[in-house]
Amino acid sequence: MPAGPELPSCYRRRVRRLGSRTLSRTSLAAALTVGAWLVLAPSPPGTPAATPSLPSLRTAWPAAAVIDTPARLADGTDFLPLLYVTPDVSLGTAPTPDHAAQRLLLRTTAGERELRRVDATLYPQFFGFTHTADHVYWAESTTAAATETGFWRAPLSPDGAATQIVPPGDVGAATFFGSEDDLVIADDHLYWAATGTTTTRDAGAVTEIRSVPIGGGAVGVRRLDGEYRLSTWPWARTIPGVKGPQQLLDLETGARRTVVGAAAEQLACEPVWCRAVVTTGSDQVALYDMVRTDGTDRRRIGAGTVTAAVPDVARLDRFEPLLQAQDPAAASSPWRLVLYDLVRDRTVAITDGVGAVRANQNMLWWQTRSGGAVQWHSLDLTTLT
């Protein structure tokens, strides 16, 4: 049976906590697995339900433009896109042809520009990508005697070197969920969440909201009681993946919202929409609803044969990407990528045979394979009008 698609599980708590501390071999392996966004999803059910006919992307949005790009570079290595700035400008990794180092590349229609090259013996990992109009930002970790994580930036222009703006000693025990909000840019600052330390054994969990000017400088730290991660600025939210209410906190005004779901639901909430999921004991999705944070406008968008394609909820407060189970005995990937439109209350088929999916800001991209050749496909969701 083919494996499930490589994408984040949105229902289990998968946290990467990295600082300048030593990790055991077991915890290091777990951290490196969690840090990557290509994580195995649950296998599709053995007997999928009949799939209703869905409108295609072209039928629903004739102006939609999907850009197709081969994964294979001219030097024979494979490119893994970790961020799309526009449909034809991406940032990702590829090994050197001799596999002695890992490279971070900016890829455009004109070719590739190398931003970073790190020796493979340091087990480099790149994650937490975000960008402004003229710069891209990311987290980078290496492992020698200990795992160290720093934050970097580089210009999107044809030239200019990458620079480290936060050294490992100032990152703290940063947490990463494969979310576009792992690193957030607001008010000319870069923000991230980290696990704070407590002074007594009985003290509750503490989260640090850390920040630095986007060009580098002194790191500021704000402590919050509880376990939070960043959401759409200026909001933070409690960590999803467990049953119980979700808390949303406005970091500017101090306003709080509490979202309470049904007893069996796992909630993941952004400021506008929540994903409410009920799973079986084998982690299959039994019910999949979308509901506004005030509890209104609940929609049943799937049951049994769908799973979330990306960890963040409701792209642009409108689109929920889903993976829909197809025939698990098929030779290719048994997953179809579909897009639920919260404005028009309809589900649109994007493509079959999807191997991985990712989203950031207004961009959605996915992987397919044909005859052994891997292709990446990118779509600007703002064109879906």
Side-chain angles (χ1 to χ4, degrees):
M1 180 183 296
E6 299 176 288
L7 77 169
S9 171
C10 302
Y11 309 119
R12 303 176 197 143
R13 183 176 165 193
R14 298 188 180 275
V15 186
R16 182 176 187 173
R17 303 175 189 269
L18 295 179
S20 303
R21 62 194 187 284
T22 302
L23 299 177
S24 68
R25 182 175 299 178
T26 300
S27 61
L28 173 59
L32 294 181
T33 299
V34 170
W37 59 272
L38 299 181
V39 181
L40 290 179
S43 297
T47 306
T51 302
S53 178
L54 298 176
S56 69
L57 178 66
R58 301 294 185 198
T59 300
W61 296 289
V66 175
I67 303 298
D68 304 323
T69 308
R72 187 62 51 89
L73 301 177
D75 63 8
T77 61
D78 287 330
F79 179 76
L80 173 64
L82 300 173
L83 173 75
Y84 271 85
V85 180
T86 65
D88 55 4
V89 176
S90 58
L91 195 76
T93 58
T96 53
D98 61 3
H99 291 269
Q102 185 78 318
R103 298 170 294 172
L104 183 66
L105 304 174
L106 182 67
R107 191 181 193 187
T108 69
T109 53
E112 299 85 41
R113 179 163 73 92
E114 185 174 306
L115 301 180
R116 292 282 293 153
R117 179 180 293 217
V118 184
D119 194 293
T121 61
L122 295 176
Y123 304 102
Q125 298 284 308
F126 305 91
F127 47 95
F129 290 90
T130 190
H131 68 90
T132 61
D134 51 8
H135 281 82
V136 64
Y137 298 77
W138 70 92
E140 179 180 319
S141 73
T142 56
T143 302
T147 296
E148 294 189 336
T149 302
F151 294 157
W152 292 72
R153 82 167 188 167
L156 289 168
S157 57
D159 52 17
T163 57
Q164 188 179 75
I165 60 171
V166 183
D170 291 334
V171 168
T175 56
F176 296 89
F177 296 84
S179 165
E180 72 167 31
D181 298 317
D182 286 338
L183 296 180
V184 173
I185 296 173
D187 303 324
D188 292 327
H189 280 70
L190 182 70
Y191 291 85
W192 68 98
T195 301
T197 57
T198 55
T199 56
T200 65
R201 180 176 298 178
D202 297 332
V206 172
T207 299
E208 295 175 347
I209 304 299
R210 294 189 168 223
S211 63
V212 68
I214 56 175
V219 172
V221 180
R222 175 182 174 182
R223 289 169 64 86
L224 303 175
D225 291 333
E227 291 185 280
Y228 285 89
R229 53 172 287 192
L230 291 176
S231 180
T232 305
W233 188 259
W235 293 90
R237 59 185 176 110
T238 48
I239 294 172
V242 295
K243 297 178 178 66
Q246 281 272 287
Q247 302 285 339
L248 290 157
L249 170 65
D250 188 321
L251 296 171
E252 292 182 342
T253 67
R256 293 180 181 269
R257 299 180 191 170
T258 301
V259 185
V260 180
E265 286 182 338
Q266 298 175 30
L267 291 175
C269 296
E270 305 289 358
V272 177
W273 286 97
C274 293
R275 178 188 296 140
V277 174
V278 177
T279 59
T280 66
S282 59
D283 284 331
Q284 295 293 336
V285 175
L287 298 175
Y288 192 131
D289 290 357
M290 299 294 290
V291 59
R292 292 187 183 272
T293 53
D294 63 2
T296 64
D297 201 12
R298 181 176 283 262
R299 320 277 186 88
R300 175 67 44 79
I301 67 171
T305 61
V306 298
T307 187
V310 298
D312 295 315
V313 179
R315 317 304 313 158
L316 306 180
D317 295 331
R318 177 178 175 180
F319 301 109
E320 179 76 348
L322 304 166
L323 286 168
Q324 188 176 70
Q326 303 296 289
D327 181 4
S332 61
S333 167
W335 294 92
R336 167 185 287 177
L337 176 62
V338 302
L339 199 61
Y340 177 74
D341 185 344
L342 286 152
V343 171
R344 299 190 180 182
D345 190 22
R346 66 177 179 180
T347 302
V348 175
I350 304 301
T351 191
D352 291 341
V354 172
V357 186
R358 178 75 171 180
N360 187 284
Q361 297 182 16
N362 59 297
M363 295 301 303
L364 178 71
W365 62 100
W366 60 93
Q367 176 204 76
T368 60
R369 183 185 298 270
S370 177
V374 174
Q375 277 207 323
W376 291 96
H377 316 272
S378 55
L379 171 65
D380 184 346
L381 296 175
T382 63
T383 65
L384 307 186
T385 57

